[in-house]
Amino acid sequence: MDDEASRILKGFFPNIDFTKEEERYFKSLWSIKTFDQYDLITEAGKIERCFYIVLDGVQAIYLLNERGEKVVLGFSYSGSPSGAFDSFIQQTPSKTFLEALKPSKLLAISRSDYDSIFKKHPRFYTWGHHFFQDILFGRLSREVELLTLTAEQRYVAFMQRCPDELKVIPQKYLASYLNMKPETFSRLRASVSY
Amino acid sequence: MAQLLLTPENHIQRLNAILNKVDQLQNLGLPSLTTPPNSKSWNILEVLVHLNIAYGHYQQKFNQHIPKLPDNKSENEGFRIRRWQKLVVDSQRPKEGVRKWKMKTLKKFEPLLDHNQLNHEKAEEIFKTFFELHNHLKEAVLLCRKKEVSQLKIPSAIGPIVLFYLPEAFEFLICHLERHMVQIDEILQQQDSLVSP
């Protein structure tokens, strides 16, 4: 693992102090996986085998509606977690796809190694508590936005907080995430400043 | 008639569901796998052998043609199935868990299994072949996500009377698989009804 990957990994677990030996072991549990643009990282119907931390690239998590269209639930990007968490935790077939929208490099840990770090280092439970709390608050906030804001307000709120690397992915993914038609997204992009 | 949009993601999701289902069938005992609902019908292993035979035709064609297709320059946006091909595909597609039209199987697709030779080893071999072939189908779908698929038509297994673009062939094969998954459910239901009072 190079210095940059090591820095991102450490940044993801900010409050965990390791001895040198523990850190070496911890790092050894992670492997680097690379994906080309449009590769499917996780397929709906397969069990998610890994928990990922993104080193590079942008990924979309989506499911298919009855018409077979992609409905985007979220994105991951440099420094963020990625994967179909429900499938990973429950070890049941995923309902969602995870796709690399840009060439991607991810740090991956298997389910058994993920479990082992909690057993070996109980302080990971505190990390896990905060991690899943953040995920829950993020989803709640998104639900409120989807239910209460107008399309223009959703567009502005999203564009103000999203990192630059997300702004260059195909518009149809951003439009789907914001629950609007690509034409609406395009019109807002041309006419609304944020 | 509305045109159906075929996407590789939809194909992959449905194929994974079928592969998971057949994986579960391996947990059944040999009597469940080898007992037909009546003397004229197939048992579960025969259904799987039929599916293996049906895919054999396409496997060759996919191996022959897919590597030669040019790469797609942009993201795969799906493929609109044509009318005649949709009619053929819909003849296979089960509707709400029911096989609409029952049809006579062509001789070349019949599973010729000797019922006296159906043991655990034979069952394992049939499952192994099923997974090899249908994982090959999934790989073909995945490969074609990044290929220009509108440049090649292949004849269906019944001959050039039906020509398929590759996404149409995938849709046909998956509908055919889904149709026979319904048949397997029917076999299992009939076995249950024989056991339950």
Side-chain angles (χ1 to χ4, degrees), chain B residues 92-141:
Chain B
Q92 296 295 323
R93 191 189 310 279
K95 201 172 179 186
E96 290 162 11
V98 178
R99 291 183 288 158
K100 278 189 296 184
W101 300 326
K102 302 222 173 154
M103 50 188 82
K104 184 103 180 85
T105 307
L106 292 174
K107 208 89 185 137
K108 65 175 178 173
F109 298 121
E110 278 185 12
L112 299 173
L113 287 180
D114 179 350
H115 285 213
N116 296 320
Q117 301 282 317
L118 288 181
N119 52 25
H120 284 289
E121 287 71 32
K122 186 69 187 169
E124 272 177 29
E125 181 193 318
I126 291 168
F127 277 109
K128 185 167 172 269
T129 307
F130 180 89
F131 288 116
E132 277 171 9
L133 289 173
H134 293 88
N135 278 314
H136 180 278
L137 170 59
K138 202 172 103 178
E139 281 306 310
V141 175

Side-chain angles (χ1 to χ4, degrees), chain B residues 28-43:
Chain B
L28 294 172
L30 198 59
S32 278
L33 295 171
T34 56
T35 307
N38 58 60
S39 60
K40 286 184 180 167
S41 300
W42 294 341
N43 61 38

Side-chain angles (χ1 to χ4, degrees), chain A residues 43-61:
Chain A
E43 296 171 7
K46 298 279 280 182
I47 293 173
E48 178 64 275
R49 301 289 174 199
C50 295
F51 176 94
Y52 298 105
I53 296 171
V54 183
L55 297 176
D56 204 8
V58 177
Q59 306 78 38
I61 191 157

Side-chain angles (χ1 to χ4, degrees), chain B residues 47-87:
Chain B
V47 174
L48 296 179
V49 169
H50 164 71
L51 291 169
N52 291 346
I53 296 169
Y55 185 62
H57 164 84
Y58 292 92
Q59 184 188 28
Q60 282 179 350
K61 296 267 185 270
F62 295 160
N63 283 341
Q64 188 183 345
H65 294 294
I66 292 175
K68 295 179 197 156
L69 287 174
D71 289 340
N72 212 341
K73 294 276 185 288
S74 56
E75 190 185 354
N76 189 316
E77 297 285 355
F79 190 92
R80 295 225 171 261
I81 191 168
R82 295 164 298 156
R83 283 165 193 252
W84 166 232
Q85 283 68 17
K86 184 173 185 298
L87 272 175

